Amino acid sequence: MSFFKLTIRDVPLDHQTVLVRVDYNVPLASDGSISDDFRIKASLPTLNYLLERGCKLVLISHLGRPEGKDKKLSLEPVALRLAQLLKRDVRFVSETIGDKVYQAVKRAPGSSITVLENLRFYAEEEADDQEFAKKIAKASGARYFVQDGFGVVHRAHASTHAITFFLPSVAGLLLEREYSTITSAMESPKRPFMAVIGGAKVSDKIPVIERFIDKADKLIIGGAIANTFLAYKGINVGASKIETDQYPVIDRIYDMARQKAGDKVDEFIILPTDLAVAKQASADVERRVVDLGSVESDDLALDIGDKSIEKMITELKPARTVIWNGTLGYAELPAFAHGSARLALALATQTETMSIIGGGDTADFALKWDSNSGASFSHISTGGGAGLELMAGDKLPGVESLLDARKQIEYTNSKHK
Ligand code: ADP
Ligand code: 3PG
Ligand code: MG
């Protein structure tokens, strides 16, 4: 399936100056060091493609949610890490617009990279300000704009939307791969197609759950959200935090599910049959597995239980496509990471199954679990919110605003008239 937007492969950008929006919003440790460079590594195919073609690259990104300039959120350390990964010089300019940027890019040779300072040091970025976008385009001296920050394309900001008014704008290779992989799994999956949804809050996952009810052959629910589903069904989940305000939404979900699965609804939406509990969520507590009905009033349900894990593994065996979003327990604590770890193992060993992992915490977990740097799965998404919105079927402003693939035909035709 060809991508519906023009990509860097479709335009003549050899030896041009190219402005590239990446998502280098990486997690930082308390000492300010980069604790995970997955998003930086994921940008390398696009950067290498452009460097090989002699392009002068100007990279823009946000980092964190600063209010004004905040040294702790400078992109300089990210530029350094990029230089280490690429084993080449990377220039850094401590501004994002203006003459200092213009002069620095002008001086840079072909096949070079200049990283500009954090876009969100300017309030205009999140305001999708056209003047600001114009200033970025001007300072960079770029001929093309490349959107490759998949993680941020659900935002309509100056660097994902307004910028496309000022430069011909195409997709990078990461954006293309993320978008195509996720949409083709949602639209034309190899079946059986199963979704495993966990995580912290029902409200975060409602749109995706509803879409999966429509598209998937089975839904397995775990994590804290399963506690709310169980409580909705009248099962005691002790002191676990539940979202009773979501009951009307769960009503709607079950109505939709019943239309599809009739009285087999509990084989279509699979909830845990036992739970791993503790009196508190801390590293020194033991994992206690109890059947539903045996949860004590001061217990917290922190993971799916062992029978639920076995059931999940059995259910997933025939699947040819699995999308996993949301950890199945409080996976930051090893005692409550069993469900997520067993799921990761099942997906890594079921080599016939297309496995797509999305969500910030879930991707983090899968990457830490995998000694193969994520290669044990078909796809680990770099997008948290963006991936969820794409799975839910929403349009993403940072993708929609790129040039349509159709336009290439018009462009080629007009050239040959
Ligand atoms: P993602 O970022 O992958 O979309 P979420 O943010 O929705 O995932 O969920 C991950 C968070 O949910 C983790 O911090 C995890 O500890 C928490 N979580 C999952 N299950 C439970 C549970 N049973 N009790 C408490 N927290 C949980
Ligand atoms: C993310 O980490 O999800 C993206 O970089 C977007 O960041 P934001 O949620 O601060 O807009
Ligand atoms: Mg999260």
Side-chain angles (χ1 to χ4, degrees):
M1 192 168 57
S2 65
F3 193 47
F4 77 118
K5 293 292 176 178
L6 287 187
T7 75
I8 50 174
R9 283 193 296 266
D10 301 318
V11 285
L13 37 66
D14 289 17
H15 306 289
Q16 302 288 342
T17 300
V18 180
L19 178 66
V20 187
R21 178 34 159 131
V22 285
D23 185 356
Y24 286 167
N25 185 24
V26 291
L28 301 174
S30 50
D31 65 356
S33 62
I34 297 164
S35 53
D36 175 5
D37 59 8
F38 177 53
R39 282 180 164 175
I40 308 178
K41 284 185 178 144
S43 74
L44 299 183
T46 294
L47 303 188
N48 282 325
Y49 179 98
L50 296 169
L51 290 169
E52 280 161 20
R53 282 157 185 78
C55 298
K56 197 191 270 197
L57 303 186
V58 183
L59 266 51
I60 47 173
S61 177
H62 73 288
L63 174 59
R65 292 175 176 172
E67 282 173 23
K69 285 202 172 141
D70 177 352
K71 265 197 174 152
K72 291 194 288 297
L73 292 174
S74 169
L75 279 170
E76 192 166 12
V78 176
L80 247 169
R81 177 66 65 92
L82 177 63
Q84 289 161 355
L85 289 170
L86 281 171
K87 298 191 180 65
R88 67 192 299 151
D89 280 348
V90 170
R91 294 152 186 251
F92 174 75
V93 185
S94 59
E95 308 282 336
T96 315
I97 50 175
D99 197 50
K100 197 169 157 189
V101 173
Y102 182 79
Q103 295 301 336
V105 179
K106 204 170 154 198
R107 278 195 307 273
S111 294
S112 65
I113 299 187
T114 305
V115 174
L116 306 186
E117 187 53 286
N118 192 343
L119 288 157
R120 289 195 187 166
F121 284 1
Y122 305 77
E124 294 92 330
E125 161 65 0
E126 290 182 73
D128 194 14
D129 185 283
Q130 293 204 14
E131 280 309 308
F132 179 62
K134 198 182 198 172
K135 284 181 192 163
I136 301 173
K138 204 167 155 207
S140 71
R143 174 74 187 80
Y144 288 99
F145 172 68
V146 172
Q147 179 56 266
D148 211 28
F150 175 69
V152 73
V153 287
H154 58 314
R155 309 279 184 223
H157 291 172
S159 67
T160 57
H161 179 252
I163 190 78
T164 63
F165 300 151
F166 303 105
L167 288 170
S169 301
V170 302
L173 303 176
L174 174 67
L175 179 65
E176 181 191 25
R177 183 162 62 86
E178 289 266 22
Y179 196 99
S180 307
T181 307
I182 294 172
T183 33
S184 61
M186 293 302 298
E187 300 295 343
S188 49
K190 276 201 178 151
R191 293 187 184 269
F193 170 30
M194 304 192 189
V196 184
I197 308 291
K201 280 168 75 187
V202 176
S203 43
D204 286 350
K205 313 280 168 164
I206 294 298
V208 256
I209 294 178
E210 290 185 343
R211 192 111 191 282
F212 282 129
I213 298 223
D214 181 26
K215 304 273 181 189
D217 300 304
K218 221 165 256 244
L219 246 81
I220 297 173
I221 297 191
I225 70 168
N227 298 338
T228 295
F229 274 73
L230 291 171
Y232 164 86
K233 292 195 154 226
I235 292 159
N236 172 29
V237 289
S240 312
K241 211 164 108 195
I242 53 166
E243 297 163 82
T244 47
D245 60 327
Q246 295 299 316
Y247 285 180
V249 183
I250 301 181
D251 264 337
R252 195 173 73 222
I253 286 173
Y254 271 99
D255 281 346
M256 288 170 67
R258 253 180 245 109
Q259 278 180 26
K260 183 158 171 174
D263 55 5
K264 295 213 165 110
V265 71
D266 291 329
E267 288 162 48
F268 175 52
I269 299 182
I270 297 177
L271 296 178
T273 50
D274 59 352
L275 295 163
V277 301
K279 301 295 177 197
Q280 60 191 43
S282 60
D284 53 346
V285 296
E286 243 177 71
R287 174 186 176 87
R288 236 176 69 236
V289 176
V290 295
D291 283 332
L292 299 182
S294 304
V295 179
E296 292 167 10
S297 60
D298 56 348
D299 278 339
L300 295 171
L302 296 172
D303 196 6
I304 59 173
D306 301 356
K307 279 190 229 159
S308 310
I309 292 175
E310 293 314 323
K311 178 159 171 61
M312 168 180 74
I313 305 299
T314 309
E315 293 284 354
L316 287 175
K317 280 226 164 82
R320 284 298 159 265
T321 307
V322 176
I323 292 187
W324 173 21
N325 179 278
T327 55
L328 296 180
Y330 197 114
E332 292 88 341
L333 299 177
F336 303 102
H338 292 208
S340 302
R342 285 291 306 278
L343 174 57
L345 179 64
L347 296 181
T349 43
Q350 271 183 232
T351 48
E352 299 281 285
T353 308
M354 166 98 171
S355 50
I356 298 175
I357 298 178
D361 292 294
T362 317
D364 262 13
F365 177 85
L367 284 164
K368 287 199 185 98
W369 176 89
D370 188 20
S371 55
N372 225 349
S373 308
S376 300
F377 309 101
S378 312
H379 184 70
I380 300 185
S381 178
T382 56
L388 279 176
E389 290 194 23
L390 186 56
M391 284 175 207
D394 294 345
K395 290 211 183 306
L396 305 174
V399 179
E400 294 304 315
S401 57
L402 303 177
L403 291 170
D404 287 337
R406 243 181 310 118
K407 296 245 168 72
Q408 188 200 13
I409 302 160
E410 288 159 20
Y411 165 82
T412 324
N413 287 347
S414 62
K415 247 180 88 178
H416 293 289
K417 258 180 200 158

